[in-house]
Amino acid sequence: SQQGEEDPQALSIQEGENATMNCSYKTSINNLQWYRQNSGRGLVHLILIRSNEREKHSGRLRVTLDTSKKSSSLLITASRAADTASYFCATDSPGFGNEKLTFGTGTRLTIIP
Amino acid sequence: EPEVTQTPSHQVTQMGQEVILRCVPISNHLYFYWYRQILGQKVEFLVSFYNNEISEKSEIFDDQFSVERPDGSNFTLKIRSTKLEDSAMYFCASRGVRFNQPQHFGDGTRLSIL
């Protein structure tokens, strides 16, 4: 698989349920970030987790990182209709300065009211 | 909260014409980026820019592409002679100077080449 592959590709759940999306990558990373993209809109930064961190929380979001498995997960708890969007993980490689991001293919999340 | 702004939101151009996409990064950011997303595909890195010069560019960023920071606020992407395959959503992003900071993206410019 390529750097930054999310699964599932699409996920539909009922409002109020939790949504879990996974991301795998292949090379060493400095940081892993999750972004949300509403249809036809820009990328909204959700959370950044550093390579030396294992878990991070922000509101209803919980991100885990397992560098030994080169994988990350994004959990959205108590989902709302407004959470309907595509979610992407993006990694940057070790090094100081510019850290270009390599994006995954994304998970399209649909919350059913 | 400060935002990255991009103009125009949609640009329609004839093949072979030059286009300039404009971005105003967040004011205290020093690292700037362009990415593109062809419909239904991944977001792809094009170029990064720091201290008034290109830091890194991808294979996509060939001689037809150029970037410029003409003044203290704007950051532009120019495509000299557009091709049909340049049709995509182009995103500008910027990042603060401190290490391990996220990149913040604009809403993008949808470029349609006819």
Side-chain angles (χ1 to χ4, degrees), chain B residues 10-99:
Chain B
H10 192 188
Q11 174 83 44
V12 182
T13 302
Q14 292 286 332
M15 187 172 61
Q17 296 295 305
E18 173 184 287
V19 293
I20 297 176
L21 309 182
R22 303 181 191 279
C23 169
V24 179
I26 294 172
S27 63
N28 62 348
H29 285 185
L30 296 179
Y31 296 94
F32 312 115
Y33 310 82
W34 283 101
Y35 293 82
R36 80 171 185 191
Q37 185 181 31
I38 294 172
L39 188 64
Q41 298 186 22
K42 290 185 181 186
V43 176
E44 302 172 288
F45 168 78
L46 292 178
V47 65
S48 58
F49 191 87
Y50 170 72
N51 199 26
N52 284 321
E53 60 183 26
I54 291 173
S55 309
E56 187 174 0
K57 57 185 180 180
S58 71
E59 291 178 355
I60 303 167
F61 195 89
D62 62 21
D63 291 345
Q64 294 300 311
F65 290 84
S66 62
V67 289
E68 195 177 31
R69 189 157 162 79
D71 53 44
S73 60
N74 291 286
F75 179 51
T76 62
L77 173 70
K78 183 194 291 186
I79 309 175
R80 263 181 276 280
S81 179
T82 50
K83 307 183 190 76
L84 293 176
E85 54 265 37
D86 293 328
S87 294
M89 195 78 155
Y90 287 80
F91 294 107
C92 173
S94 69
R95 184 177 74 81
V97 65
R98 285 170 54 199
F99 198 47

Side-chain angles (χ1 to χ4, degrees), chain A residues 29-48:
Chain A
I29 64 167
N30 203 33
N31 302 296
L32 186 143
Q33 304 180 50
W34 284 91
Y35 287 85
R36 184 185 74 226
Q37 184 181 36
N38 290 79
S39 181
R41 300 297 305 275
L43 295 154
V44 175
H45 181 260
L46 297 176
I47 201 164
L48 179 151

Side-chain angles (χ1 to χ4, degrees), chain A residues 17-21 60-61 74-79 83 87 109:
Chain A
E17 293 181 342
N18 296 341
T20 299
M21 289 158 272
R60 293 184 297 113
L61 306 180
L74 170 67
L75 168 68
I76 304 174
T77 60
S79 62
D83 295 329
Y87 292 81
L109 176 65

